[in-house]
Amino acid sequence: MEPIVLASSSPRRQEILKFLNIPYKITIPNFDEQIPEGMENEKVPEYFAVQKVNAVARTYNSGCEVPWILGADTMVLLDGKLLGKPADSNEAASYLKRLQGKTHKVITGVALFNGKVFYLSSRTSITKVTFAKMSDEEIEWYVGTDEWHGAAGGYRIQGLASCFIKKIDGLNSNVVGLPIFELYDMLKEQGYYEKK
């Protein structure tokens, strides 16, 4: 299989690609994370995923063959507000205080560019996650594990946060940061698995 350029430094996304036996290289995208005015919250992660792919595609010189490029972006939506990655432990604790005892949406946008035919497709996957009620001590303990670093909403579902996840409605891999069904379906649709 051809290597895919992953427009992300996320170790979780790398783990998923390894799990799927997809060879990859990493290129960190450089783009302005500004949400266009009036954009619906649920469309923002897909928009950012496309921006990441475009930013990486622009690094290839004119006339160069552009490879497969994969971009993804994950955000948490609670009470009409998007929660990204917490800046510090205080913000992580405030996110968890808001999430505990409630159901929120985890939204991941995925974008895939096929350099051979210059075709870009993108999709959005949404999973509903319900947290159990958490005491201040439990929140303090979880924040102390440092799992919140680089995680949308300040938690990792595949880590110790699973102690507090009461219910998941949708793809678990979406909450991790790369929905496997959507990714596989897009690759299949674009002929990635076809034998040369």
Side-chain angles (χ1 to χ4, degrees), residues 116-185:
K116 287 192 170 36
V117 293
F118 280 82
Y119 176 73
L120 181 125
S121 63
S122 63
R123 296 188 190 180
T124 292
S125 180
I126 298 175
T127 301
K128 290 182 180 175
V129 178
T130 304
F131 260 86
K133 290 196 170 176
M134 297 171 74
S135 65
D136 288 346
E137 290 76 19
E138 285 172 323
I139 290 171
E140 188 181 341
W141 169 78
Y142 182 72
V143 171
T145 69
D146 284 341
E147 273 191 0
W148 57 269
H149 279 284
Y155 72 92
R156 292 200 197 291
I157 200 162
Q158 74 277 28
L160 292 166
S162 57
C163 295
F164 308 108
I165 304 297
K166 197 172 179 180
K167 186 180 174 189
I168 300 173
D169 182 11
L171 294 174
N172 188 69
S173 59
N174 178 48
V175 188
V176 175
L178 190 58
I180 290 174
F181 172 78
E182 303 292 354
L183 172 61
Y184 177 74
D185 203 46

Coordinates of all heavy atoms in Angstrom, one line a residue, residues 116-185:
K116 N -3.3 11.5 -7.0 CA -3.3 11.0 -8.4 C -4.3 11.6 -9.3 O -4.1 11.9 -10.4 CB -3.4 9.5 -8.3 CG -2.2 8.8 -7.8 CD -2.2 7.3 -8.1 CE -0.9 6.6 -7.8 NZ -0.1 7.1 -6.7
V117 N -5.5 11.8 -8.7 CA -6.6 12.4 -9.5 C -7.1 13.8 -8.9 O -8.0 14.3 -9.4 CB -7.8 11.4 -9.5 CG1 -7.5 10.2 -10.2 CG2 -8.3 11.1 -8.1
F118 N -6.3 14.3 -8.0 CA -6.6 15.6 -7.4 C -8.0 15.7 -6.9 O -8.8 16.6 -7.3 CB -6.3 16.8 -8.4 CG -4.8 17.1 -8.4 CD1 -3.9 16.3 -9.2 CD2 -4.3 18.1 -7.6 CE1 -2.6 16.6 -9.2 CE2 -2.9 18.4 -7.6 CZ -2.1 17.6 -8.4
Y119 N -8.4 14.7 -6.1 CA -9.8 14.7 -5.6 C -9.7 14.7 -4.0 O -9.0 14.0 -3.4 CB -10.4 13.4 -6.0 CG -11.8 13.2 -5.5 CD1 -12.9 13.9 -5.9 CD2 -12.0 12.2 -4.5 CE1 -14.2 13.7 -5.4 CE2 -13.3 12.0 -4.0 CZ -14.4 12.8 -4.4 OH -15.6 12.6 -3.9
L120 N -10.5 15.6 -3.5 CA -10.6 15.7 -2.0 C -12.0 15.4 -1.5 O -13.0 16.0 -2.1 CB -10.2 17.1 -1.5 CG -10.2 17.3 0.0 CD1 -8.8 17.8 0.5 CD2 -11.3 18.2 0.4
S121 N -12.1 14.5 -0.6 CA -13.4 14.2 0.0 C -13.3 14.5 1.5 O -12.2 14.4 2.1 CB -13.9 12.8 -0.3 OG -13.0 11.9 0.3
S122 N -14.5 14.8 2.1 CA -14.5 15.0 3.6 C -15.8 14.6 4.1 O -16.8 14.5 3.5 CB -14.2 16.5 3.9 OG -15.2 17.3 3.4
R123 N -15.7 14.2 5.4 CA -16.9 13.7 6.1 C -16.8 14.1 7.6 O -15.8 14.5 8.1 CB -17.0 12.2 6.1 CG -17.2 11.6 4.7 CD -17.5 10.2 4.7 NE -17.4 9.5 3.4 CZ -17.6 8.3 3.2 NH1 -17.9 7.5 4.2 NH2 -17.6 7.8 2.0
T124 N -18.0 14.0 8.2 CA -18.1 14.3 9.7 C -18.7 13.1 10.4 O -19.6 12.5 9.9 CB -19.0 15.5 9.9 OG1 -18.3 16.7 9.4 CG2 -19.2 15.7 11.4
S125 N -18.1 12.7 11.5 CA -18.6 11.6 12.3 C -18.9 12.2 13.7 O -18.2 13.0 14.3 CB -17.6 10.5 12.4 OG -18.0 9.5 13.2
I126 N -20.1 11.9 14.2 CA -20.5 12.4 15.5 C -20.9 11.2 16.4 O -21.6 10.3 16.1 CB -21.8 13.3 15.4 CG1 -21.4 14.5 14.5 CG2 -22.3 13.7 16.7 CD1 -22.6 15.4 14.2
T127 N -20.3 11.3 17.6 CA -20.6 10.3 18.7 C -21.1 11.0 19.9 O -20.5 12.0 20.3 CB -19.3 9.5 19.0 OG1 -18.8 8.8 17.8 CG2 -19.6 8.4 20.1
K128 N -22.1 10.5 20.5 CA -22.6 11.0 21.8 C -22.0 10.3 23.0 O -22.0 9.0 23.0 CB -24.1 10.9 21.9 CG -24.8 11.9 20.9 CD -26.3 11.8 21.1 CE -27.0 12.7 20.1 NZ -28.5 12.5 20.1
V129 N -21.4 11.0 23.9 CA -20.7 10.4 25.1 C -21.4 11.0 26.3 O -21.6 12.2 26.5 CB -19.2 10.8 25.1 CG1 -18.5 10.2 26.3 CG2 -18.6 10.3 23.8
T130 N -21.7 10.0 27.2 CA -22.3 10.5 28.5 C -21.4 10.2 29.7 O -20.9 9.0 29.8 CB -23.7 9.7 28.8 OG1 -24.5 9.9 27.7 CG2 -24.3 10.2 30.1
F131 N -21.0 11.2 30.4 CA -20.2 11.1 31.6 C -21.1 10.8 32.8 O -22.2 11.4 32.9 CB -19.5 12.4 31.8 CG -18.0 12.4 31.4 CD1 -17.7 12.8 30.1 CD2 -17.0 12.1 32.2 CE1 -16.4 12.8 29.6 CE2 -15.7 12.1 31.8 CZ -15.4 12.5 30.5
A132 N -20.6 10.0 33.7 CA -21.2 9.8 35.0 C -20.9 11.1 35.8 O -20.0 11.9 35.4 CB -20.6 8.6 35.7
K133 N -21.6 11.3 36.9 CA -21.3 12.4 37.8 C -19.9 12.2 38.4 O -19.6 11.0 38.7 CB -22.4 12.6 38.9 CG -23.7 13.0 38.3 CD -24.6 13.6 39.3 CE -25.8 14.2 38.6 NZ -26.8 14.7 39.6
M134 N -19.1 13.2 38.5 CA -17.8 13.1 39.1 C -17.7 14.1 40.3 O -18.2 15.2 40.2 CB -16.7 13.5 38.0 CG -16.7 12.6 36.8 SD -15.6 13.2 35.5 CE -14.0 12.9 36.2
S135 N -17.0 13.6 41.3 CA -16.8 14.5 42.4 C -15.6 15.4 42.1 O -14.8 15.1 41.2 CB -16.5 13.7 43.7 OG -15.2 13.0 43.5
D136 N -15.4 16.5 42.9 CA -14.3 17.4 42.7 C -13.0 16.6 42.9 O -12.0 16.8 42.2 CB -14.3 18.5 43.7 CG -15.4 19.5 43.3 OD1 -15.9 19.5 42.2 OD2 -15.7 20.4 44.2
E137 N -13.0 15.6 43.8 CA -11.8 14.8 44.0 C -11.4 13.9 42.8 O -10.3 13.8 42.4 CB -12.0 13.9 45.3 CG -12.0 14.6 46.6 CD -13.3 15.3 46.8 OE1 -14.4 15.0 46.2 OE2 -13.3 16.2 47.7
E138 N -12.5 13.4 42.2 CA -12.3 12.5 41.0 C -11.7 13.4 39.8 O -10.8 12.9 39.1 CB -13.6 11.8 40.6 CG -13.9 10.7 41.5 CD -15.3 10.1 41.2 OE1 -16.2 10.9 40.9 OE2 -15.5 8.9 41.3
I139 N -12.3 14.6 39.7 CA -11.8 15.5 38.6 C -10.3 15.8 38.9 O -9.5 15.8 38.0 CB -12.7 16.7 38.5 CG1 -14.0 16.3 37.9 CG2 -12.0 17.8 37.7 CD1 -15.1 17.4 38.0
E140 N -10.0 16.2 40.1 CA -8.6 16.5 40.5 C -7.7 15.3 40.2 O -6.6 15.5 39.7 CB -8.6 16.9 42.0 CG -7.2 17.5 42.4 CD -7.2 17.9 43.9 OE1 -8.3 18.0 44.5 OE2 -6.1 18.0 44.4
W141 N -8.1 14.1 40.6 CA -7.3 12.9 40.4 C -7.1 12.7 38.9 O -6.0 12.5 38.4 CB -8.0 11.7 40.9 CG -7.4 10.4 40.5 CD1 -6.2 9.9 41.0 CD2 -7.8 9.6 39.4 NE1 -5.9 8.7 40.3 CE2 -6.9 8.5 39.3 CE3 -8.9 9.6 38.5 CZ2 -7.0 7.5 38.4 CZ3 -9.0 8.5 37.6 CH2 -8.1 7.5 37.5
Y142 N -8.2 12.9 38.1 CA -8.0 12.6 36.6 C -7.1 13.7 36.0 O -6.2 13.3 35.2 CB -9.4 12.6 35.9 CG -9.2 12.3 34.4 CD1 -8.8 11.0 34.0 CD2 -9.2 13.3 33.5 CE1 -8.5 10.7 32.7 CE2 -9.0 13.0 32.1 CZ -8.6 11.7 31.8 OH -8.4 11.4 30.4
V143 N -7.3 14.9 36.3 CA -6.4 16.0 35.8 C -5.0 15.7 36.2 O -4.0 15.9 35.4 CB -6.9 17.4 36.2 CG1 -5.9 18.4 35.9 CG2 -8.2 17.7 35.6
G144 N -4.8 15.1 37.4 CA -3.4 14.8 37.8 C -2.7 13.7 37.0 O -1.5 13.6 37.1
T145 N -3.5 12.9 36.3 CA -2.9 11.9 35.4 C -2.3 12.5 34.2 O -1.5 11.7 33.5 CB -4.0 10.8 35.0 OG1 -4.9 11.5 34.0 CG2 -4.7 10.3 36.1
D146 N -2.6 13.7 33.9 CA -2.0 14.4 32.7 C -2.6 13.8 31.3 O -2.0 14.2 30.3 CB -0.5 14.4 32.6 CG 0.1 15.4 33.6 OD1 -0.7 16.4 34.0 OD2 1.3 15.3 34.0
E147 N -3.6 13.0 31.4 CA -4.1 12.4 30.1 C -4.8 13.5 29.3 O -5.0 13.3 28.1 CB -5.2 11.4 30.5 CG -4.6 10.0 30.6 CD -5.7 8.9 30.7 OE1 -6.9 9.2 30.5 OE2 -5.3 7.8 30.8
W148 N -5.2 14.6 29.9 CA -5.9 15.7 29.2 C -5.1 16.4 28.2 O -5.6 17.0 27.3 CB -6.4 16.7 30.3 CG -5.3 17.3 31.1 CD1 -4.9 16.9 32.3 CD2 -4.5 18.5 30.8 NE1 -3.8 17.7 32.8 CE2 -3.6 18.6 31.8 CE3 -4.5 19.3 29.7 CZ2 -2.6 19.7 31.9 CZ3 -3.5 20.4 29.7 CH2 -2.6 20.5 30.8
H149 N -3.7 16.3 28.3 CA -2.8 17.0 27.3 C -3.2 16.6 25.9 O -3.2 15.4 25.5 CB -1.3 16.6 27.6 CG -0.7 17.4 28.7 ND1 -0.3 18.7 28.6 CD2 -0.4 17.0 30.0 CE1 0.2 19.1 29.8 NE2 0.1 18.1 30.6
G150 N -3.4 17.6 25.1 CA -3.7 17.4 23.7 C -5.0 16.7 23.3 O -5.1 16.2 22.2
A151 N -5.9 16.6 24.3 CA -7.2 15.9 24.1 C -8.4 16.8 24.0 O -8.5 17.6 25.0 CB -7.4 14.8 25.2
A152 N -9.1 16.7 23.0 CA -10.3 17.6 22.9 C -11.3 17.3 24.1 O -11.5 16.1 24.4 CB -11.1 17.3 21.6
G153 N -11.7 18.4 24.7 CA -12.6 18.2 25.9 C -11.9 17.9 27.1 O -12.4 17.8 28.2
G154 N -10.5 17.6 27.0 CA -9.7 17.4 28.2 C -9.8 15.9 28.8 O -9.5 15.7 29.9
Y155 N -10.1 15.0 27.9 CA -10.1 13.6 28.4 C -9.8 12.6 27.2 O -10.0 13.0 26.1 CB -11.4 13.2 29.0 CG -12.6 13.0 28.0 CD1 -12.9 11.8 27.5 CD2 -13.4 14.1 27.6 CE1 -13.9 11.6 26.6 CE2 -14.4 13.9 26.7 CZ -14.7 12.7 26.2 OH -15.7 12.5 25.3
R156 N -9.3 11.4 27.6 CA -9.0 10.4 26.6 C -9.9 9.2 26.9 O -9.8 8.6 28.0 CB -7.6 10.0 26.7 CG -6.6 11.0 26.2 CD -5.3 10.4 25.8 NE -4.3 11.4 25.8 CZ -4.2 12.4 24.9 NH1 -5.1 12.5 23.9 NH2 -3.3 13.3 24.9
I157 N -10.8 8.9 26.0 CA -11.7 7.8 26.2 C -11.0 6.4 26.3 O -11.5 5.5 27.0 CB -12.8 7.8 25.1 CG1 -14.0 7.0 25.6 CG2 -12.3 7.2 23.8 CD1 -15.3 7.3 24.9
Q158 N -9.9 6.3 25.7 CA -9.2 5.0 25.7 C -8.3 4.9 26.9 O -7.6 3.9 27.1 CB -8.4 4.8 24.4 CG -7.1 5.7 24.2 CD -7.4 7.1 23.8 OE1 -8.5 7.6 24.0 NE2 -6.4 7.7 23.1
G159 N -8.3 5.9 27.7 CA -7.4 5.9 28.9 C -8.3 5.8 30.2 O -9.3 5.2 30.2
L160 N -7.8 6.4 31.3 CA -8.4 6.3 32.6 C -9.8 7.0 32.6 O -10.6 6.8 33.5 CB -7.5 6.9 33.6 CG -6.3 6.1 33.9 CD1 -5.3 6.8 34.7 CD2 -6.6 4.8 34.6
A161 N -10.1 7.9 31.6 CA -11.4 8.6 31.6 C -12.5 7.6 31.4 O -13.7 7.8 31.7 CB -11.4 9.6 30.5
S162 N -12.2 6.4 30.9 CA -13.2 5.3 30.7 C -13.8 4.9 32.0 O -15.0 4.4 32.0 CB -12.6 4.1 30.0 OG -11.5 3.6 30.7
C163 N -13.2 5.2 33.1 CA -13.8 5.0 34.4 C -15.1 5.8 34.6 O -16.0 5.4 35.4 CB -12.8 5.4 35.5 SG -11.3 4.4 35.6
F164 N -15.2 6.9 33.9 CA -16.3 7.8 34.1 C -17.3 7.9 32.9 O -18.2 8.6 33.0 CB -15.8 9.2 34.4 CG -14.7 9.2 35.5 CD1 -13.4 9.4 35.2 CD2 -15.1 9.0 36.8 CE1 -12.4 9.5 36.2 CE2 -14.2 9.0 37.8 CZ -12.8 9.2 37.5
I165 N -17.0 7.1 31.9 CA -17.9 7.1 30.7 C -19.0 6.1 30.9 O -18.8 4.9 31.0 CB -17.1 6.8 29.4 CG1 -15.9 7.7 29.2 CG2 -18.1 6.8 28.2 CD1 -16.3 9.1 29.0
K166 N -20.2 6.7 31.0 CA -21.4 5.8 31.3 C -22.0 5.2 30.1 O -22.5 4.1 30.1 CB -22.5 6.8 32.0 CG -23.6 6.1 32.7 CD -24.4 7.2 33.4 CE -25.5 6.6 34.2 NZ -26.3 7.6 34.9
K167 N -21.9 6.0 29.0 CA -22.6 5.5 27.7 C -21.9 6.1 26.5 O -21.5 7.3 26.6 CB -24.1 5.8 27.8 CG -24.9 5.3 26.6 CD -26.3 5.7 26.7 CE -27.2 5.3 25.5 NZ -28.5 5.9 25.5
I168 N -21.8 5.3 25.4 CA -21.3 5.9 24.1 C -22.4 5.5 23.1 O -22.7 4.3 23.0 CB -20.0 5.3 23.8 CG1 -18.9 5.6 24.8 CG2 -19.5 5.8 22.4 CD1 -17.6 4.9 24.6
D169 N -22.8 6.5 22.3 CA -23.7 6.2 21.2 C -23.0 6.7 19.9 O -22.9 7.8 19.6 CB -25.0 7.0 21.4 CG -26.0 6.8 20.3 OD1 -25.8 5.8 19.5 OD2 -27.0 7.5 20.3
G170 N -22.4 5.7 19.2 CA -21.6 6.0 18.0 C -20.3 5.3 18.0 O -20.1 4.4 18.8
L171 N -19.4 5.7 17.1 CA -18.1 5.1 17.0 C -17.1 5.5 18.1 O -16.9 6.7 18.3 CB -17.4 5.5 15.6 CG -18.1 5.0 14.3 CD1 -17.4 5.6 13.1 CD2 -18.1 3.5 14.3
N172 N -16.5 4.5 18.8 CA -15.5 4.7 19.8 C -14.3 5.4 19.1 O -13.7 6.3 19.7 CB -15.2 3.4 20.5 CG -14.3 3.6 21.6 OD1 -14.7 4.2 22.7 ND2 -13.0 3.2 21.5
S173 N -13.9 4.9 17.9 CA -12.7 5.4 17.3 C -12.9 6.9 16.9 O -11.9 7.6 16.8 CB -12.4 4.6 16.0 OG -13.5 4.6 15.1
N174 N -14.1 7.3 16.7 CA -14.3 8.7 16.5 C -13.9 9.6 17.7 O -13.3 10.6 17.5 CB -15.8 9.0 16.2 CG -16.1 10.4 15.9 OD1 -15.5 11.1 15.2 ND2 -17.2 10.9 16.6
V175 N -14.2 9.1 18.9 CA -13.9 9.8 20.1 C -12.3 9.8 20.3 O -11.8 10.7 20.8 CB -14.6 9.2 21.3 CG1 -14.4 10.1 22.6 CG2 -16.1 9.1 21.1
V176 N -11.7 8.7 19.9 CA -10.2 8.6 20.0 C -9.6 9.7 19.0 O -8.5 10.2 19.3 CB -9.7 7.2 19.6 CG1 -8.2 7.1 19.6 CG2 -10.3 6.2 20.6
G177 N -10.3 10.0 17.9 CA -9.8 11.0 17.0 C -9.7 10.7 15.5 O -9.3 11.5 14.7
L178 N -10.1 9.5 15.2 CA -10.1 9.1 13.7 C -11.1 8.0 13.5 O -10.8 6.8 13.9 CB -8.7 8.7 13.3 CG -8.5 8.5 11.8 CD1 -8.8 9.7 11.0 CD2 -7.1 8.0 11.5
P179 N -12.3 8.3 13.0 CA -13.4 7.3 12.9 C -13.0 6.2 11.8 O -12.8 6.5 10.6 CB -14.6 8.1 12.4 CG -14.1 9.4 11.9 CD -12.8 9.6 12.6
I180 N -12.8 5.0 12.3 CA -12.2 3.9 11.4 C -13.2 3.6 10.2 O -12.8 3.5 9.1 CB -11.9 2.7 12.2 CG1 -10.7 2.9 13.1 CG2 -11.6 1.5 11.3 CD1 -10.4 1.8 14.1
F181 N -14.5 3.6 10.5 CA -15.4 3.3 9.5 C -15.4 4.3 8.4 O -15.3 4.0 7.2 CB -16.9 3.2 10.0 CG -17.9 3.0 8.8 CD1 -18.0 1.8 8.2 CD2 -18.6 4.2 8.4 CE1 -18.9 1.7 7.1 CE2 -19.4 4.1 7.3 CZ -19.6 2.8 6.7
E182 N -15.4 5.6 8.7 CA -15.4 6.7 7.7 C -14.1 6.6 6.9 O -14.1 6.8 5.7 CB -15.5 8.0 8.4 CG -16.8 8.2 9.3 CD -18.1 8.2 8.5 OE1 -18.0 8.2 7.2 OE2 -19.1 8.2 9.1
L183 N -13.0 6.5 7.6 CA -11.7 6.4 7.0 C -11.6 5.3 6.0 O -11.2 5.5 4.8 CB -10.6 6.3 8.0 CG -9.1 6.1 7.4 CD1 -8.7 7.2 6.5 CD2 -8.1 5.8 8.5
Y184 N -12.0 4.1 6.4 CA -11.9 2.9 5.5 C -12.8 3.1 4.3 O -12.4 2.8 3.2 CB -12.3 1.6 6.3 CG -12.3 0.4 5.4 CD1 -11.1 -0.2 5.0 CD2 -13.5 -0.1 5.0 CE1 -11.2 -1.3 4.1 CE2 -13.6 -1.2 4.1 CZ -12.4 -1.8 3.7 OH -12.4 -2.9 2.9
D185 N -14.0 3.6 4.6 CA -15.0 3.8 3.5 C -14.5 4.8 2.4 O -14.6 4.7 1.2 CB -16.3 4.3 4.1 CG -17.5 4.0 3.2 OD1 -17.6 2.9 2.6 OD2 -18.3 4.9 3.0

